[in-house]
Amino acid sequence: MSEIITIANQKGGVGKTTTAVNLAASLAVEEKKVLLIDLDPQANATTGYGFKRSDYEFNIYHVLTGKKTLNDIILKTNLDNLDLAPSNILLTGFEQEIGNNNIKQILSKALKDVALRYDFIIIDSPPSLGNITINALVASTDVIIPMQCEFYALEGLAMIFNTIKTIKKSMNPRLKIRGILPTMYSSQNNLSKETVADLQQHFNEKLFKKNGEIILIPRNIKLAECPGFGKPIVLYDIKSPGCIAYQNLAQSLIGL
Ligand code: ATP
Ligand code: MG
């Protein structure tokens, strides 16, 4: 069965899309079959793979509104083992729709058709805990919470923990927090070190580790540059510290 992992944090700009794009690519490099679902109306993961609006007619909005199936919208990327379900600004409309519980299970149902083809399904979510992120969490087996190493970073955690707890209880008992991922870590910055020390004190078992060392995503300009070239970091600068960190994360998920 495939592992379905949502990358979620209601805070904006913490590295969700960077993590979704580069974790998906790193898993594909490890020869896993991966589907990346862009579930954010900002469509940053879609453009991060070099797709323009004119490259595809239908997107995840059409799936969530029942007009298309996931199979209809999936695109091949420039990496062999990686497919992408693109997004579009149209998806904003879905975030505002009000409905009964059924509206929260649309993605979960849509995934049944394709899940068997993939080892990993990685879902990029928007910076909110509305209908879209709830659909992602209801459909997932796991959540990874990227956390920017900065002041107040831990404060938003209670809110997402509560959302996850509620969904686990009411709609998706298999959902678990796979880990918290410190992002944009800078070893010269005391705040970065303090944030990680805080995380270690309160959530040590939720930090990803490789050979006993906590996996930290460093602040690395290469990670910020590569979406401009429509490439994940593995196709842009394989020796960069950002690339190595995401490869370590992928390997820790696979158990290497
Ligand atoms: P949103 O909430 O708007 O969806 P997000 O949580 O998806 O944002 P990203 O888009 O991944 O966050 O990152 C925010 C900005 O920080 C982007 O410009 C991105 O290129 C940059 N960035 C993310 N991670 C890193 C990093 N490790 N090093 C340097 N820049 C980074
Ligand atoms: Mg994003």
Side-chain angles (χ1 to χ4, degrees):
M1 215 187 74
S2 52
E3 294 184 38
I4 307 174
I5 307 177
T6 291
I7 315 297
N9 189 332
Q10 75 281 3
K11 268 191 110 172
V14 298
K16 290 182 289 297
T17 302
T18 304
T19 297
V21 163
N22 292 299
L23 173 60
S26 302
L27 288 165
V29 167
E30 298 291 343
E31 304 202 340
K32 297 294 174 190
K33 292 256 174 256
V34 186
L35 172 66
L36 172 61
I37 300 182
D38 188 349
L39 210 60
D40 184 348
Q42 298 178 98
N44 294 333
T46 305
T47 47
Y49 273 95
F51 292 103
K52 299 187 294 294
R53 278 184 72 163
S54 53
D55 293 338
Y56 54 98
E57 192 177 354
F58 300 107
N59 63 76
I60 197 74
Y61 169 79
H62 299 103
V63 176
L64 293 185
T65 51
K67 298 181 181 85
K68 292 282 160 192
T69 67
L70 263 175
N71 268 320
D72 294 332
I73 69 154
I74 286 174
L75 305 169
K76 294 247 160 274
T77 70
N78 43 16
L79 270 171
D80 266 356
N81 296 317
L82 179 65
D83 292 343
L84 171 80
S87 181
N88 176 280
I89 190 75
L90 280 174
L91 191 55
T92 316
F94 181 78
E95 185 73 302
Q96 282 141 15
E97 268 177 49
I98 304 165
N100 55 21
N101 260 352
N102 291 337
I103 200 175
K104 300 174 178 162
Q105 288 160 340
I106 300 173
L107 183 66
S108 169
K109 287 181 184 148
L111 273 172
K112 291 206 162 74
D113 271 0
V114 302
L116 284 175
R117 299 213 306 267
Y118 298 100
D119 300 309
F120 285 91
I121 297 175
I122 307 291
I123 307 175
D124 186 25
S125 68
S128 81
L129 295 172
N131 279 333
I132 296 178
T133 303
I134 288 174
N135 257 274
L137 294 173
V138 171
S140 291
T141 56
D142 298 84
V143 195
I144 292 177
I145 306 172
M147 241 193 61
Q148 189 174 348
C149 297
E150 57 163 22
F151 208 56
Y152 298 133
L154 270 74
E155 291 197 349
L157 280 181
M159 199 185 234
I160 186 159
F161 282 176
N162 273 337
T163 302
I164 291 167
K165 207 161 134 192
T166 307
I167 290 175
K168 194 175 161 72
K169 227 165 146 185
S170 59
M171 277 178 288
N172 183 8
R174 66 184 179 166
L175 183 64
K176 62 178 179 300
I177 299 175
R178 188 66 167 265
I180 299 172
L181 181 69
T183 61
M184 298 182 232
Y185 180 84
S186 167
S187 55
Q188 277 113 47
N189 182 334
N190 281 337
L191 212 46
S192 272
K193 288 188 201 153
E194 283 164 26
T195 310
V196 173
D198 274 356
L199 279 173
Q200 245 180 314
Q201 194 184 342
H202 298 289
F203 306 106
N204 189 39
E205 78 290 356
K206 289 290 175 205
L207 294 168
F208 294 98
K209 314 227 171 53
K210 179 145 192 223
N211 303 328
E213 296 247 331
I214 299 171
I215 297 176
L216 305 166
I217 306 299
R219 187 174 278 285
N220 180 199
I221 186 71
K222 302 282 182 186
L223 284 168
E225 282 170 8
C226 58
F229 295 88
K231 288 178 179 175
I233 192 80
V234 289
L235 296 178
Y236 182 69
D237 188 343
I238 199 156
K239 295 205 169 111
S240 61
C243 188
I244 293 164
Y246 279 113
Q247 278 174 321
N248 285 340
L249 177 64
Q251 287 168 3
S252 91
L253 285 182
I254 299 169
L256 292 178

